[in-house]
Structure formats: C-alpha cells, structure tokens
Amino acid sequence: MSESTMSAAGEAPGLAAVSHTAAAEMHAQDSESESEESEMAEAPARDSAAEIPVTSNGEDVKHMMTGGPTLKETRIVSSNYGNPSEGIIEAEPYRGGLKSMQSGPVVISDEISKNIALEKLEQVKKWSISTYKCTRQVLSERLGRGSKTVDLELESQIEVLRETKKRYENVLRLARQMATQFYQVVQTQRQLGDAFGELSVKSLELHEEFGYNAETQKLLCKNGETLLGAINFFISSVNTLVNKTIEDTLVAVKHYENARIEYDAYRTDLEELNLGPRDAVTIPKIEQSQLQFQIHKEKFDKLRGSVSVKLKFLDENKIKVMHNQLLLFHNAVSAYFAGNQHQLEQVLKQFHIKLKAPGSDGPSWLEEQ
C-alpha cells in the first residue's frame, strides 16, 4: 500500500467526523430558526393575553391582587375552525365582583374587653358580699341573736292586709263554686221547661197544667241567667281587687322587706367595725361601711314611705269597691228569690251590667272564668 493511499485512509475518519459535526450544527440552526419563527407567530397571541409580571419579592403580584383596578377572568374565544385567532385566550373584567370589604368586622380592643371583664367581676363581687351579709342577718334574726328594725304601725297594717287577702280569696272561691252550681240549676230548669212545653202539646188532657209549669220554668231560667250575670260581675270585681290591686301592694311590701334586711345587715356590719380598733387598716373599711350603710338607709326609708302610701290608698279603694259589690250581690240575690223580676233587672241597670244576648255564639260568662 502506497503512502498516499494510507494517508487517504487515515484522514477518512476525520473527514467523516467533521461532516457529521457540520450536519449537527446545521440541524441545530434549522431548529433555532423554526423556534424563532414559531415564537414570532405566537407573539400576537401572547400580546393580546393578560400578562402578570412576577418579581422575585412578589410585590407586583401583591399589587395586582390587592391594589389592581379589576380582577381579570380568562375565556376562550370561539371561532370557526382554521381561523387565525382560534385558541386565543383573552382577558375581560370579572363581572362577578368581590364582596366589599369596607364594612369589616368590628374588632374590640383588648383594653375594652378587659374593662368589661373587670366591670362584671366587680358586680359579681358586690352581689356576693351583699348576699352574704343579708343571709347572715336573716339567720341571726331567726336564731334570736341579731337586732331587727321594726315599724310597729306599718308591720300591723301589712299583717292585716295579708289576712284580708286570704279572707277575700276564700269568698272568691265560694262565689265561683256557687256560680258553677247555680249554672247547672239554670240549665236543668231550661231543659225541664222544654220538656213541659213538649208534653203540653202532646197531652191534650193536661195541656194547661204542663203549660203553666213550662212557663214557670222558663221564667225562672230567665231570672237565673240575670242573677248569674250579677254574680259574674261580683266575681270579676273581687278577683281584680285580690289578684291585681292587693297583689301589687304586696309586691311593694316584699321589696320593702328586702330593703329592711339589707339596711339591718349593713347597720350591723358598721356597728361591729366601730367596736373594733381604729388604725390605718380599719379606718378605710369603716368609711366604706358608713357609705354603704347610708345608701341602704335612704333606700329603706324611701320604700317604707312608698308602702305606707300604697296601703292607705289600697284601704280606701278596697272599701269603695267592696261596698258596691256587696250591695250588688245582696240586691240581686234578694230580688231573685223574692221573684221580683223588675227589681232584678233594675239591679243590673244600676251597675251597668250587660247580659249576653240569647242565642249568641260567644262563650258564656262561666266559660270565660
């Protein structure tokens, strides 16, 4: 083999490698040119799409989400197949909107919460101290060890009022029982009158006798309904006096008695402090106790005067109401059993009592009780 042949053979691989490298470089250049052409073709689509710049610290993103003018939503624009704008994504203002955050939740500061908690704690503390003092005062009175402030005249009036309420409640119970029983008698008289009237028609030989009895029972039934109206008015008035007027006064008496217990409790506490030593520790306590004692004394005096006035007006009102109601009850019962229908009707007119019209659909006076 000649040297020229060996040289050609030795250089052949090198030439092959060079040609292969050149081909690779040309293929890469073709790929880059195709990539550039593709990017140039997609540039209009990217320009029309919404772009959100993002930086390393995220400030631009935060600005777009919080301080941006509107929120964008993306949608795909539909078009015919083969249209150059097919698949282009456009951005439009979001029409759904966001809920306004202008009226945000009210935030209570820690200082306000702390003040409210301290105020409630102080109220509970005062209530606990007052309850303890009052309970101790009641126990000491029942055991005969503590002193009690007593207004003899007022206490006697309160005791009389309570006894009067019990007696009036008994009268009210008996009056209701009488009305219930008498209502049954009136209903029986009405049925008996109807039976007599039916027999007077069917029994010709006893027509007059059955007719007389039917008329008598019907008249008694009518007068009985009139008496029931008077008894109903009496029951209603006494019920108002007992369960409204007297009860309201007894509620005021209950408040007065509670104020009396508080007054005696703080009075006893002040007396115990005054009997002890006076130093830098006890003097502030004595002053505070003196202040609380004065407050409860004024409250006690005010309620005592109020109860005294209420008892006076109640006594006057009670006498006036019961005078009229007892007169009504007496005249109505007397006229009924005397058979004086005219007088019975005059009693109802005197006290402006209206009876239910016969045949009305409304409930009877007894059903309303």
PDB file of all heavy atoms in Angstrom, residues 27-58:
ATOM      1  N   HIS A  27     -28.441  21.270  11.599  1.00  0.00           N
ATOM      2  CA  HIS A  27     -29.753  20.873  12.143  1.00  0.00           C
ATOM      3  C   HIS A  27     -30.157  21.755  13.315  1.00  0.00           C
ATOM      4  O   HIS A  27     -31.313  22.141  13.471  1.00  0.00           O
ATOM      5  CB  HIS A  27     -29.668  19.398  12.589  1.00  0.00           C
ATOM      6  CG  HIS A  27     -30.963  18.897  13.174  1.00  0.00           C
ATOM      7  ND1 HIS A  27     -32.083  18.675  12.397  1.00  0.00           N
ATOM      8  CD2 HIS A  27     -31.283  18.586  14.469  1.00  0.00           C
ATOM      9  CE1 HIS A  27     -33.044  18.267  13.180  1.00  0.00           C
ATOM     10  NE2 HIS A  27     -32.577  18.204  14.458  1.00  0.00           N
ATOM     11  N   ALA A  28     -29.166  22.118  14.179  1.00  0.00           N
ATOM     12  CA  ALA A  28     -29.459  22.998  15.321  1.00  0.00           C
ATOM     13  C   ALA A  28     -29.869  24.363  14.857  1.00  0.00           C
ATOM     14  O   ALA A  28     -30.767  24.994  15.410  1.00  0.00           O
ATOM     15  CB  ALA A  28     -28.214  23.081  16.223  1.00  0.00           C
ATOM     16  N   GLN A  29     -29.161  24.869  13.794  1.00  0.00           N
ATOM     17  CA  GLN A  29     -29.527  26.185  13.285  1.00  0.00           C
ATOM     18  C   GLN A  29     -30.922  26.165  12.705  1.00  0.00           C
ATOM     19  O   GLN A  29     -31.709  27.102  12.871  1.00  0.00           O
ATOM     20  CB  GLN A  29     -28.518  26.590  12.205  1.00  0.00           C
ATOM     21  CG  GLN A  29     -27.139  26.929  12.761  1.00  0.00           C
ATOM     22  CD  GLN A  29     -26.149  27.262  11.667  1.00  0.00           C
ATOM     23  OE1 GLN A  29     -26.496  27.235  10.467  1.00  0.00           O
ATOM     24  NE2 GLN A  29     -24.905  27.595  12.058  1.00  0.00           N
ATOM     25  N   ASP A  30     -31.261  25.069  12.019  1.00  0.00           N
ATOM     26  CA  ASP A  30     -32.624  24.949  11.478  1.00  0.00           C
ATOM     27  C   ASP A  30     -33.650  24.921  12.593  1.00  0.00           C
ATOM     28  O   ASP A  30     -34.716  25.540  12.515  1.00  0.00           O
ATOM     29  CB  ASP A  30     -32.723  23.684  10.625  1.00  0.00           C
ATOM     30  CG  ASP A  30     -31.863  23.776   9.366  1.00  0.00           C
ATOM     31  OD1 ASP A  30     -31.544  24.918   8.959  1.00  0.00           O
ATOM     32  OD2 ASP A  30     -31.542  22.701   8.800  1.00  0.00           O
ATOM     33  N   SER A  31     -33.329  24.192  13.697  1.00  0.00           N
ATOM     34  CA  SER A  31     -34.275  24.121  14.828  1.00  0.00           C
ATOM     35  C   SER A  31     -34.457  25.480  15.456  1.00  0.00           C
ATOM     36  O   SER A  31     -35.560  25.892  15.832  1.00  0.00           O
ATOM     37  CB  SER A  31     -33.771  23.119  15.875  1.00  0.00           C
ATOM     38  OG  SER A  31     -33.668  21.828  15.311  1.00  0.00           O
ATOM     39  N   GLU A  32     -33.338  26.238  15.600  1.00  0.00           N
ATOM     40  CA  GLU A  32     -33.438  27.572  16.204  1.00  0.00           C
ATOM     41  C   GLU A  32     -34.249  28.482  15.320  1.00  0.00           C
ATOM     42  O   GLU A  32     -35.065  29.289  15.805  1.00  0.00           O
ATOM     43  CB  GLU A  32     -32.026  28.139  16.424  1.00  0.00           C
ATOM     44  CG  GLU A  32     -31.265  27.433  17.528  1.00  0.00           C
ATOM     45  CD  GLU A  32     -29.861  28.014  17.667  1.00  0.00           C
ATOM     46  OE1 GLU A  32     -29.504  28.916  16.856  1.00  0.00           O
ATOM     47  OE2 GLU A  32     -29.143  27.582  18.575  1.00  0.00           O
ATOM     48  N   SER A  33     -34.048  28.372  14.016  1.00  0.00           N
ATOM     49  CA  SER A  33     -34.814  29.246  13.116  1.00  0.00           C
ATOM     50  C   SER A  33     -36.287  28.891  13.176  1.00  0.00           C
ATOM     51  O   SER A  33     -37.163  29.765  13.184  1.00  0.00           O
ATOM     52  CB  SER A  33     -34.277  29.098  11.691  1.00  0.00           C
ATOM     53  OG  SER A  33     -34.433  27.751  11.237  1.00  0.00           O
ATOM     54  N   GLU A  34     -36.606  27.569  13.275  1.00  0.00           N
ATOM     55  CA  GLU A  34     -38.019  27.179  13.396  1.00  0.00           C
ATOM     56  C   GLU A  34     -38.610  27.651  14.709  1.00  0.00           C
ATOM     57  O   GLU A  34     -39.754  28.091  14.773  1.00  0.00           O
ATOM     58  CB  GLU A  34     -38.117  25.654  13.297  1.00  0.00           C
ATOM     59  CG  GLU A  34     -37.819  25.120  11.903  1.00  0.00           C
ATOM     60  CD  GLU A  34     -37.862  23.612  11.872  1.00  0.00           C
ATOM     61  OE1 GLU A  34     -38.096  23.016  12.967  1.00  0.00           O
ATOM     62  OE2 GLU A  34     -37.678  23.021  10.810  1.00  0.00           O
ATOM     63  N   SER A  35     -37.793  27.603  15.791  1.00  0.00           N
ATOM     64  CA  SER A  35     -38.285  28.076  17.086  1.00  0.00           C
ATOM     65  C   SER A  35     -38.552  29.554  17.052  1.00  0.00           C
ATOM     66  O   SER A  35     -39.536  30.049  17.606  1.00  0.00           O
ATOM     67  CB  SER A  35     -37.260  27.736  18.176  1.00  0.00           C
ATOM     68  OG  SER A  35     -37.686  28.268  19.409  1.00  0.00           O
ATOM     69  N   GLU A  36     -37.653  30.315  16.380  1.00  0.00           N
ATOM     70  CA  GLU A  36     -37.857  31.763  16.291  1.00  0.00           C
ATOM     71  C   GLU A  36     -39.088  32.066  15.480  1.00  0.00           C
ATOM     72  O   GLU A  36     -39.874  32.971  15.806  1.00  0.00           O
ATOM     73  CB  GLU A  36     -36.625  32.405  15.658  1.00  0.00           C
ATOM     74  CG  GLU A  36     -35.403  32.374  16.561  1.00  0.00           C
ATOM     75  CD  GLU A  36     -34.179  32.956  15.845  1.00  0.00           C
ATOM     76  OE1 GLU A  36     -34.314  33.306  14.645  1.00  0.00           O
ATOM     77  OE2 GLU A  36     -33.130  33.083  16.485  1.00  0.00           O
ATOM     78  N   GLU A  37     -39.301  31.318  14.395  1.00  0.00           N
ATOM     79  CA  GLU A  37     -40.495  31.557  13.587  1.00  0.00           C
ATOM     80  C   GLU A  37     -41.755  31.216  14.368  1.00  0.00           C
ATOM     81  O   GLU A  37     -42.762  31.933  14.293  1.00  0.00           O
ATOM     82  CB  GLU A  37     -40.407  30.680  12.319  1.00  0.00           C
ATOM     83  CG  GLU A  37     -39.336  31.126  11.357  1.00  0.00           C
ATOM     84  CD  GLU A  37     -39.239  30.187  10.165  1.00  0.00           C
ATOM     85  OE1 GLU A  37     -40.002  29.188  10.152  1.00  0.00           O
ATOM     86  OE2 GLU A  37     -38.437  30.435   9.269  1.00  0.00           O
ATOM     87  N   SER A  38     -41.673  30.151  15.176  1.00  0.00           N
ATOM     88  CA  SER A  38     -42.861  29.801  15.998  1.00  0.00           C
ATOM     89  C   SER A  38     -43.146  30.863  17.022  1.00  0.00           C
ATOM     90  O   SER A  38     -44.284  31.230  17.280  1.00  0.00           O
ATOM     91  CB  SER A  38     -42.620  28.450  16.686  1.00  0.00           C
ATOM     92  OG  SER A  38     -43.698  28.138  17.540  1.00  0.00           O
ATOM     93  N   GLU A  39     -42.072  31.405  17.642  1.00  0.00           N
ATOM     94  CA  GLU A  39     -42.271  32.465  18.652  1.00  0.00           C
ATOM     95  C   GLU A  39     -42.809  33.710  17.998  1.00  0.00           C
ATOM     96  O   GLU A  39     -43.665  34.410  18.563  1.00  0.00           O
ATOM     97  CB  GLU A  39     -40.938  32.763  19.352  1.00  0.00           C
ATOM     98  CG  GLU A  39     -40.484  31.650  20.268  1.00  0.00           C
ATOM     99  CD  GLU A  39     -39.126  31.985  20.887  1.00  0.00           C
ATOM    100  OE1 GLU A  39     -38.576  33.053  20.552  1.00  0.00           O
ATOM    101  OE2 GLU A  39     -38.659  31.201  21.714  1.00  0.00           O
ATOM    102  N   MET A  40     -42.340  34.022  16.782  1.00  0.00           N
ATOM    103  CA  MET A  40     -42.851  35.197  16.079  1.00  0.00           C
ATOM    104  C   MET A  40     -44.309  34.994  15.717  1.00  0.00           C
ATOM    105  O   MET A  40     -45.108  35.945  15.718  1.00  0.00           O
ATOM    106  CB  MET A  40     -42.008  35.438  14.802  1.00  0.00           C
ATOM    107  CG  MET A  40     -40.575  35.900  15.101  1.00  0.00           C
ATOM    108  SD  MET A  40     -39.597  36.057  13.581  1.00  0.00           S
ATOM    109  CE  MET A  40     -40.483  37.389  12.786  1.00  0.00           C
ATOM    110  N   ALA A  41     -44.730  33.774  15.420  1.00  0.00           N
ATOM    111  CA  ALA A  41     -46.128  33.510  15.076  1.00  0.00           C
ATOM    112  C   ALA A  41     -47.026  33.610  16.295  1.00  0.00           C
ATOM    113  O   ALA A  41     -48.169  34.024  16.214  1.00  0.00           O
ATOM    114  CB  ALA A  41     -46.241  32.116  14.433  1.00  0.00           C
ATOM    115  N   GLU A  42     -46.489  33.207  17.468  1.00  0.00           N
ATOM    116  CA  GLU A  42     -47.303  33.236  18.685  1.00  0.00           C
ATOM    117  C   GLU A  42     -47.243  34.561  19.394  1.00  0.00           C
ATOM    118  O   GLU A  42     -47.948  34.781  20.379  1.00  0.00           O
ATOM    119  CB  GLU A  42     -46.818  32.136  19.651  1.00  0.00           C
ATOM    120  CG  GLU A  42     -47.080  30.744  19.134  1.00  0.00           C
ATOM    121  CD  GLU A  42     -46.521  29.698  20.095  1.00  0.00           C
ATOM    122  OE1 GLU A  42     -45.915  30.125  21.118  1.00  0.00           O
ATOM    123  OE2 GLU A  42     -46.700  28.504  19.854  1.00  0.00           O
ATOM    124  N   ALA A  43     -46.388  35.488  18.928  1.00  0.00           N
ATOM    125  CA  ALA A  43     -46.243  36.795  19.608  1.00  0.00           C
ATOM    126  C   ALA A  43     -47.548  37.553  19.670  1.00  0.00           C
ATOM    127  O   ALA A  43     -47.899  38.120  20.697  1.00  0.00           O
ATOM    128  CB  ALA A  43     -45.153  37.612  18.905  1.00  0.00           C
ATOM    129  N   PRO A  44     -48.352  37.664  18.568  1.00  0.00           N
ATOM    130  CA  PRO A  44     -49.622  38.403  18.669  1.00  0.00           C
ATOM    131  C   PRO A  44     -50.563  37.816  19.689  1.00  0.00           C
ATOM    132  O   PRO A  44     -51.250  38.534  20.386  1.00  0.00           O
ATOM    133  CB  PRO A  44     -50.185  38.303  17.247  1.00  0.00           C
ATOM    134  CG  PRO A  44     -49.003  38.036  16.373  1.00  0.00           C
ATOM    135  CD  PRO A  44     -48.076  37.219  17.179  1.00  0.00           C
ATOM    136  N   ALA A  45     -50.590  36.471  19.750  1.00  0.00           N
ATOM    137  CA  ALA A  45     -51.489  35.859  20.733  1.00  0.00           C
ATOM    138  C   ALA A  45     -51.059  36.193  22.136  1.00  0.00           C
ATOM    139  O   ALA A  45     -51.871  36.456  23.018  1.00  0.00           O
ATOM    140  CB  ALA A  45     -51.518  34.340  20.525  1.00  0.00           C
ATOM    141  N   ARG A  46     -49.744  36.160  22.409  1.00  0.00           N
ATOM    142  CA  ARG A  46     -49.269  36.494  23.758  1.00  0.00           C
ATOM    143  C   ARG A  46     -49.490  37.948  24.078  1.00  0.00           C
ATOM    144  O   ARG A  46     -49.718  38.339  25.219  1.00  0.00           O
ATOM    145  CB  ARG A  46     -47.772  36.138  23.873  1.00  0.00           C
ATOM    146  CG  ARG A  46     -47.498  34.626  23.849  1.00  0.00           C
ATOM    147  CD  ARG A  46     -46.115  34.351  24.434  1.00  0.00           C
ATOM    148  NE  ARG A  46     -45.073  35.117  23.722  1.00  0.00           N
ATOM    149  CZ  ARG A  46     -44.382  34.635  22.707  1.00  0.00           C
ATOM    150  NH1 ARG A  46     -44.619  33.420  22.250  1.00  0.00           N
ATOM    151  NH2 ARG A  46     -43.455  35.376  22.118  1.00  0.00           N
ATOM    152  N   ASP A  47     -49.377  38.812  23.043  1.00  0.00           N
ATOM    153  CA  ASP A  47     -49.604  40.247  23.306  1.00  0.00           C
ATOM    154  C   ASP A  47     -51.034  40.521  23.713  1.00  0.00           C
ATOM    155  O   ASP A  47     -51.303  41.422  24.499  1.00  0.00           O
ATOM    156  CB  ASP A  47     -49.238  41.046  22.044  1.00  0.00           C
ATOM    157  CG  ASP A  47     -47.761  40.998  21.758  1.00  0.00           C
ATOM    158  OD1 ASP A  47     -46.991  40.702  22.717  1.00  0.00           O
ATOM    159  OD2 ASP A  47     -47.375  41.260  20.609  1.00  0.00           O
ATOM    160  N   SER A  48     -52.009  39.772  23.131  1.00  0.00           N
ATOM    161  CA  SER A  48     -53.416  40.019  23.461  1.00  0.00           C
ATOM    162  C   SER A  48     -53.827  39.382  24.773  1.00  0.00           C
ATOM    163  O   SER A  48     -54.879  39.669  25.295  1.00  0.00           O
ATOM    164  CB  SER A  48     -54.312  39.505  22.335  1.00  0.00           C
ATOM    165  OG  SER A  48     -54.131  38.099  22.195  1.00  0.00           O
ATOM    166  N   ALA A  49     -53.014  38.444  25.265  1.00  0.00           N
ATOM    167  CA  ALA A  49     -53.380  37.776  26.515  1.00  0.00           C
ATOM    168  C   ALA A  49     -52.956  38.623  27.702  1.00  0.00           C
ATOM    169  O   ALA A  49     -52.107  39.481  27.605  1.00  0.00           O
ATOM    170  CB  ALA A  49     -52.696  36.396  26.585  1.00  0.00           C
ATOM    171  N   ALA A  50     -53.608  38.376  28.884  1.00  0.00           N
ATOM    172  CA  ALA A  50     -53.264  39.127  30.110  1.00  0.00           C
ATOM    173  C   ALA A  50     -51.930  38.645  30.622  1.00  0.00           C
ATOM    174  O   ALA A  50     -51.673  37.451  30.694  1.00  0.00           O
ATOM    175  CB  ALA A  50     -54.333  38.913  31.167  1.00  0.00           C
ATOM    176  N   GLU A  51     -51.049  39.555  30.928  1.00  0.00           N
ATOM    177  CA  GLU A  51     -49.726  39.240  31.447  1.00  0.00           C
ATOM    178  C   GLU A  51     -49.605  39.787  32.845  1.00  0.00           C
ATOM    179  O   GLU A  51     -49.988  40.920  33.127  1.00  0.00           O
ATOM    180  CB  GLU A  51     -48.635  39.842  30.554  1.00  0.00           C
ATOM    181  CG  GLU A  51     -48.619  39.254  29.144  1.00  0.00           C
ATOM    182  CD  GLU A  51     -47.520  39.854  28.302  1.00  0.00           C
ATOM    183  OE1 GLU A  51     -46.822  40.753  28.843  1.00  0.00           O
ATOM    184  OE2 GLU A  51     -47.361  39.462  27.161  1.00  0.00           O
ATOM    185  N   ILE A  52     -49.119  38.991  33.768  1.00  0.00           N
ATOM    186  CA  ILE A  52     -48.914  39.396  35.160  1.00  0.00           C
ATOM    187  C   ILE A  52     -47.436  39.268  35.450  1.00  0.00           C
ATOM    188  O   ILE A  52     -46.897  38.163  35.546  1.00  0.00           O
ATOM    189  CB  ILE A  52     -49.716  38.523  36.130  1.00  0.00           C
ATOM    190  CG1 ILE A  52     -51.202  38.612  35.786  1.00  0.00           C
ATOM    191  CG2 ILE A  52     -49.473  38.915  37.560  1.00  0.00           C
ATOM    192  CD1 ILE A  52     -52.060  37.730  36.659  1.00  0.00           C
ATOM    193  N   PRO A  53     -46.751  40.362  35.540  1.00  0.00           N
ATOM    194  CA  PRO A  53     -45.307  40.275  35.825  1.00  0.00           C
ATOM    195  C   PRO A  53     -45.080  39.803  37.236  1.00  0.00           C
ATOM    196  O   PRO A  53     -45.770  40.207  38.168  1.00  0.00           O
ATOM    197  CB  PRO A  53     -44.832  41.719  35.624  1.00  0.00           C
ATOM    198  CG  PRO A  53     -46.032  42.548  35.859  1.00  0.00           C
ATOM    199  CD  PRO A  53     -47.209  41.750  35.398  1.00  0.00           C
ATOM    200  N   VAL A  54     -44.121  38.960  37.400  1.00  0.00           N
ATOM    201  CA  VAL A  54     -43.776  38.418  38.705  1.00  0.00           C
ATOM    202  C   VAL A  54     -42.325  38.736  38.981  1.00  0.00           C
ATOM    203  O   VAL A  54     -41.455  38.469  38.154  1.00  0.00           O
ATOM    204  CB  VAL A  54     -44.009  36.892  38.756  1.00  0.00           C
ATOM    205  CG1 VAL A  54     -43.637  36.336  40.116  1.00  0.00           C
ATOM    206  CG2 VAL A  54     -45.453  36.576  38.417  1.00  0.00           C
ATOM    207  N   THR A  55     -42.051  39.317  40.106  1.00  0.00           N
ATOM    208  CA  THR A  55     -40.675  39.625  40.517  1.00  0.00           C
ATOM    209  C   THR A  55     -40.279  38.679  41.613  1.00  0.00           C
ATOM    210  O   THR A  55     -41.077  37.900  42.140  1.00  0.00           O
ATOM    211  CB  THR A  55     -40.565  41.084  40.990  1.00  0.00           C
ATOM    212  OG1 THR A  55     -41.463  41.255  42.080  1.00  0.00           O
ATOM    213  CG2 THR A  55     -40.975  42.034  39.881  1.00  0.00           C
ATOM    214  N   SER A  56     -39.042  38.775  41.992  1.00  0.00           N
ATOM    215  CA  SER A  56     -38.528  37.855  42.984  1.00  0.00           C
ATOM    216  C   SER A  56     -39.160  38.075  44.344  1.00  0.00           C
ATOM    217  O   SER A  56     -39.324  37.153  45.115  1.00  0.00           O
ATOM    218  CB  SER A  56     -36.999  38.001  43.088  1.00  0.00           C
ATOM    219  OG  SER A  56     -36.687  39.352  43.435  1.00  0.00           O
ATOM    220  N   ASN A  57     -39.486  39.310  44.704  1.00  0.00           N
ATOM    221  CA  ASN A  57     -40.060  39.573  46.038  1.00  0.00           C
ATOM    222  C   ASN A  57     -41.570  39.508  46.046  1.00  0.00           C
ATOM    223  O   ASN A  57     -42.200  39.707  47.074  1.00  0.00           O
ATOM    224  CB  ASN A  57     -39.631  40.941  46.561  1.00  0.00           C
ATOM    225  CG  ASN A  57     -39.971  42.051  45.564  1.00  0.00           C
ATOM    226  OD1 ASN A  57     -40.638  41.778  44.570  1.00  0.00           O
ATOM    227  ND2 ASN A  57     -39.505  43.255  45.849  1.00  0.00           N
ATOM    228  N   GLY A  58     -42.249  39.287  44.901  1.00  0.00           N
ATOM    229  CA  GLY A  58     -43.686  39.120  44.863  1.00  0.00           C
ATOM    230  C   GLY A  58     -44.470  40.388  45.043  1.00  0.00           C
ATOM    231  O   GLY A  58     -45.667  40.346  45.278  1.00  0.00           O
TER     232      GLY A  58
END
